[in-house]
Amino acid sequence: MIGDDPALRAAYRLCRARTRRQDPAEYALIQLVPAPLRPALHALWAAANALDDLGDDRTAPAAARAARVEEWITALHRELPTGTSPDPIRHALVHTAARWRLDLSELHAAMTQVQDDTQGRRFTDWTAWRTWGRDNLLPWFGQVRTLFDRAGVPVALRLDTRETYEEFLDGVRLTDILTDLSADLAQGDLLLPDEVLDSHPGSAADLAHRRWSPAVSALITHLSGLARQWVTQETLSRGMHPGPATVLHTMAALLRAQLDAIDTAGPALLHTPPRPTPLIRARILAPARARATLAWSLTPLTVPPAHQPTHGRRPTLTRPARTAAFLSPPPHPSGERPPEIPSAHLPAHVAVIMDGNGRWAQQRGLPRHEGHRAGATAVREVVHGALDIGLRHLTLYTFSTENWHRDAEEVDAILDLLRRELVDDPFRDLDVRLGWHGRAGRLPPDLVDLLHLRERTTRTRTGLTLTMCIDYGGRDEITRTAAALARRTRAGHLDPDLITEDDFARHLPRPDLPDVDLLWRTGGEHRVSNFLPWHTAYAELHFTPGLWPDTDRRDLWQAVTTYTHRQRRHGTTPAAAGPLD
């Protein structure tokens, strides 16, 4: 399956052996996929583990470990275009990337995170902990999903919702931390958030001294229950091909068995990693193998040749731009300069309803999709204008839940345009962090993957946060939030009589999205059209007659300038003068 190159075959054998020796559960899961895919999965797992080993090697000081991780990443960056490597694990990874056309750029941030981890990690709350865990796991799992896609599996690990997928990975991470607790404590590491440690007074000190106390026992019980809840996701494989679904179901069952072992370990947990018995693992894996064999026997796979042609584009590991390397947006073609508005008077968050694409095209005798194409150019121009004046948040109503009712050809054209814009990545050299707000279920899987990729690869940028609302509806957002609150109430975590506005805001699908200060709509209409109803409760409204494709950055500047001359009272008495008077 991997050709006749002795060095390459030896490299894949090493990856397989390391997987089997260091993580038998992972090896057992890989055995549930068709044989042609296994070498690639062994290579991916071995590469991730090799980096972790370099970062965790406490025989070397932190600076030396960080340097070794950096050297490994730099070597991979240099070797990917050549198609080979003197290091056997990187050799297998380079070959896997070329053979299966994997874009390893997504892995760069996850790899450099290992380098950052050599300095130690501390998490104040669950939010920081989740960000760290997801930033590490999501890119690697994304490569697995792409591998199934390349093999032609009809539903390649497509999950119903992003929240379900990421919460499952939270459970994977927490189970791993509890399993490795003894080894981490021996190295002085405690990879749990202060928030949960503080809720069990004394547990942090007891763990540091490896003392099994009532506080530690209660903490472990709480954490294992939380991990069990996260890995038990009934909707995880809904609509998925039975082959990957079997792998996920088996993975969840093995994780629950691992959590059972953690629960029964007691004080031994602080000294030895607990493991399920071979009999328990056999009871899980035997029926899984039978189900997987049947599922894959009915599935024709697309397997690329072991040796790819030497011509054409080689895979690369793109390094995200550092803050110092970001470019300034190009100036406006007219030479007009942005207004000088003090940052204290700028709106923190501008939301835009981009109306008029279809009418713009019809006025010119063009198909409606040409209006959307022109509208994409206007988006680039307005983003440049937002950067010019130092705006922090810009949110665009890109595709609403109601837009699905449009003609199918127009919908396809809009989604294809979004896909092309994400691939082109017009803001790659600018300090723009991309966010996405909306549902994933009805969007094409490749578009969802692109949105997630851009979110991950721009997450460390600190300039403008550009949020694209795609398959978004305000009432849908409110309904989802109410459902989240109902689930929390049913689980006993909230008293329905004591729910506050802050509770509601924390359960919004995007709780990090700030309130809108200025809502701007083009196209001459004077309504808010189900856009961000919670966030725009106190927003200033600004309506302009021009159609969106005719908009440029000067229109944004004018909207913001108008905003600075308004008095924002929020129910209080008016100020003596306007903000800039």
Side-chain angles (χ1 to χ4, degrees):
M1 292 294 182
I2 53 177
D4 298 324
D5 181 347
L8 184 60
R9 295 181 70 85
Y12 276 111
R13 281 198 302 270
L14 174 64
C15 292
R16 180 177 182 271
R18 286 191 61 161
T19 305
R20 188 171 191 173
R21 181 179 67 254
Q22 295 182 303
D23 196 338
E26 182 74 21
Y27 180 81
L29 289 171
I30 293 175
Q31 292 299 104
L32 298 179
V33 307
L37 278 67
R38 293 174 195 167
L41 293 172
H42 290 143
L44 286 166
W45 187 92
N49 198 55
L51 273 175
D52 285 342
D53 287 348
L54 288 174
D56 290 340
D57 179 11
R58 296 309 174 98
T59 62
R65 287 182 276 125
R68 291 172 186 173
V69 172
E70 172 65 18
E71 289 171 5
W72 200 97
I73 298 170
T74 300
L76 178 63
H77 179 83
R78 182 177 61 250
E79 293 159 357
L80 272 169
T82 71
T84 187
S85 170
D87 178 89
I89 291 177
R90 289 199 305 270
H91 191 185
L93 182 62
V94 166
H95 179 264
T96 290
R99 184 184 184 192
W100 292 94
R101 296 182 292 113
L102 300 182
D103 180 2
L104 299 190
S105 298
E106 183 181 351
L107 295 177
H108 189 271
M111 290 179 174
T112 55
Q113 186 190 80
V114 176
Q115 183 180 3
D116 296 339
D117 286 348
T118 59
Q119 306 302 317
R121 286 286 184 180
R122 181 174 178 180
F123 313 104
T124 56
D125 52 28
W126 280 114
T127 299
W129 182 90
R130 287 189 183 95
T131 299
W132 166 75
R134 293 176 182 184
D135 286 349
N136 180 264
L137 288 179
L138 277 167
W140 292 98
F141 272 71
Q143 295 297 317
V144 175
R145 295 178 63 191
T146 301
L147 184 66
F148 278 99
D149 285 336
R150 297 286 188 263
V153 178
V155 182
L157 293 178
R158 171 137 187 239
L159 306 178
D160 283 343
T161 63
R162 176 183 179 183
E163 293 86 356
T164 299
Y165 182 26
E166 295 188 351
E167 192 168 87
F168 178 78
L169 295 185
D170 292 342
V172 173
R173 172 63 70 186
L174 185 53
T175 304
D176 285 346
I177 288 173
L178 293 174
T179 300
D180 297 335
L181 188 60
S182 60
D184 289 341
L185 292 175
Q187 297 179 155
D189 293 331
L190 185 55
L191 301 176
L192 296 171
D194 293 342
E195 177 183 344
V196 72
L197 295 171
D198 292 344
S199 67
H200 295 80
S203 60
D206 289 334
L207 285 171
H209 292 88
R210 306 177 82 170
R211 292 193 299 258
W212 185 262
S213 65
V216 169
S217 177
L219 173 68
I220 298 303
T221 299
H222 170 71
L223 292 174
S224 65
L226 199 57
R228 193 181 306 276
Q229 173 187 328
W230 289 343
V231 301
T232 306
Q233 301 284 354
E234 299 300 328
T235 62
L236 190 64
S237 58
R238 182 180 298 165
M240 191 185 297
H241 181 278
T246 297
V247 175
L248 276 177
H249 289 158
T250 308
M251 184 178 184
L254 289 172
L255 287 166
R256 288 192 292 269
Q258 182 63 38
L259 290 166
D260 290 341
I262 289 167
D263 287 337
T264 59
L269 182 68
L270 305 184
H271 303 280
T272 307
R275 299 294 178 191
T277 66
L279 178 60
I280 290 174
R281 292 185 61 226
R283 287 174 177 171
I284 295 171
L285 292 171
R289 292 189 188 105
R291 290 194 301 271
T293 299
L294 176 61
W296 295 119
S297 69
L298 302 174
T299 305
L301 297 177
T302 303
V303 180
H307 295 289
Q308 295 290 350
T310 56
H311 62 275
R313 184 179 177 182
R314 289 282 191 179
T316 60
L317 184 65
T318 304
R319 297 171 178 267
R322 298 291 183 185
T323 302
F326 289 131
L327 302 179
S328 298
H332 189 269
S334 70
E336 186 170 340
R337 301 296 302 161
E340 294 185 3
I341 303 174
S343 59
H345 298 304
L346 280 172
H349 185 186
V350 175
V352 186
I353 301 174
M354 306 176 292
D355 194 15
N357 288 344
R359 283 178 283 158
W360 183 91
Q362 290 172 337
Q363 288 175 4
R364 290 159 175 77
L366 300 171
R368 290 178 62 89
H369 66 81
E370 290 298 333
H372 298 301
R373 189 191 307 275
T377 301
V379 166
R380 299 187 186 193
E381 175 65 16
V382 168
V383 169
H384 293 161
L387 288 166
D388 284 336
I389 60 174
L391 196 64
R392 303 299 298 172
H393 289 271
L394 177 67
T395 298
L396 304 180
Y397 206 1
T398 308
F399 188 84
S400 75
T401 51
E402 290 78 16
N403 287 155
W404 291 106
H405 300 302
R406 294 188 179 187
D407 179 84
E409 184 177 353
E410 182 179 357
V411 169
D412 288 344
I414 294 173
L415 297 180
D416 187 58
L417 177 62
L418 289 172
R419 186 181 292 108
R420 290 201 304 272
E421 286 293 294
L422 289 165
V423 170
D424 290 346
D425 195 13
F427 310 124
R428 68 169 63 87
D429 297 322
L430 305 177
D431 194 7
V432 176
R433 177 181 182 180
L434 183 67
W436 166 44
H437 192 6
R439 280 187 173 271
R442 292 185 291 189
L443 294 173
D446 65 321
L447 179 58
V448 173
D449 287 341
L450 280 169
L451 286 164
H452 288 167
L453 172 61
R454 293 292 169 248
E455 282 191 309
R456 287 193 293 275
T457 55
T458 62
R459 65 180 176 81
T460 59
R461 301 187 182 189
T462 58
L464 173 70
T465 296
L466 173 65
T467 303
M468 312 289 286
C469 290
I470 303 173
D471 198 10
Y472 169 86
R475 288 185 173 180
D476 176 74
E477 178 182 30
I478 298 295
T479 302
R480 292 165 66 189
T481 305
L485 287 168
R487 287 192 294 270
R488 294 281 290 173
T489 301
R490 185 174 59 187
H493 301 304
L494 284 174
D495 183 336
D497 295 323
L498 299 178
I499 292 175
T500 65
E501 290 186 12
D502 287 342
D503 291 320
F504 192 94
R506 281 195 298 271
H507 288 80
L508 288 165
R510 289 299 298 255
D512 58 327
L513 194 67
D515 285 347
V516 174
D517 297 307
L518 173 64
L519 175 62
W520 169 30
R521 179 173 187 150
T522 64
E525 302 292 348
H526 293 73
R527 56 181 179 270
V528 296
S529 296
N530 198 27
F531 187 40
L532 299 175
W534 178 267
H535 303 84
T536 58
Y538 285 99
E540 296 294 323
L541 306 181
H542 182 70
F543 301 103
T544 54
L547 304 178
W548 178 252
D550 292 325
T551 301
D552 69 15
R553 72 186 77 182
R554 294 173 298 182
D555 297 291
L556 172 67
W557 297 342
Q558 180 58 48
V560 171
T561 300
T562 300
Y563 165 88
T564 63
H565 290 91
R566 299 212 185 156
Q567 288 188 346
R568 306 194 72 205
R569 304 188 184 109
H570 298 288
T572 64
T573 57
L580 294 183
D581 292 345

